[in-house]
């Protein structure tokens, strides 16, 4: 039987950004399992090195990647943002 706060599986978007890197480090330091949505697996490796968290390659427009990322997650930390929409319809949120 464990003591202390329960650990969670947390899906993080924007994990390779300035805030995201710190959020991932804090979550992992507290014992949580982190799954990151990343557009570039190479950048993830450069930022986190050998201790890189589990990742799902994709972006905010990729419904399948988002579905894989949230599968089994207890929480979502959404730090990614669209800086430009490809079209008026692309600016809408993905609905599962």
């Amino acid at each position: 039987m464990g003591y202390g706060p329960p650990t969670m599986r947390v899906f993080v978007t924007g994990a390779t950004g300035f805030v995201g890197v710190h959020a991932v480090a804090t979550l992992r330091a507290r014992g949580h399992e982190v799954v990151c949505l990343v557009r570039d697996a190479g950048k993830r490796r450069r930022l986190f090195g050998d201790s890189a968290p589990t990742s799902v390659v994709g972006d905010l427009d990729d419904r399948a990647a988002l579905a894989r990322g949230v599968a089994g997650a207890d929480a979502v930390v959404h730090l990614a943002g669209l800086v430009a929409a490809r079209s008026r319809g692309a600016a809408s949120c993905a609905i599962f």
Side-chain angles (χ1 to χ4, degrees), residues 14-68:
T16 59
F18 179 76
V19 174
V21 168
H22 296 286
V24 168
T26 299
L27 288 164
R28 294 178 84 196
R30 293 182 179 179
H32 300 295
E33 177 187 358
V34 177
V35 178
C36 303
L37 177 69
V38 297
R39 289 180 295 170
D40 180 353
K43 183 176 181 181
R44 176 194 61 116
R45 282 189 298 278
R46 286 190 302 277
L47 289 171
F48 297 106
D50 292 336
S51 65
T54 301
S55 67
V56 173
V57 177
D59 59 31
L60 295 177
D61 291 326
D62 186 342
R63 289 181 184 211
L66 293 170
R68 286 192 307 276

Side-chain angles (χ1 to χ4, degrees), residues 3 14 29 42-43 47 53 65 67-68 73 78 85-86 92:
Y3 296 97
K43 183 176 181 181
L47 289 171
R68 286 192 307 276
H78 179 47
R86 291 185 189 101
S92 64

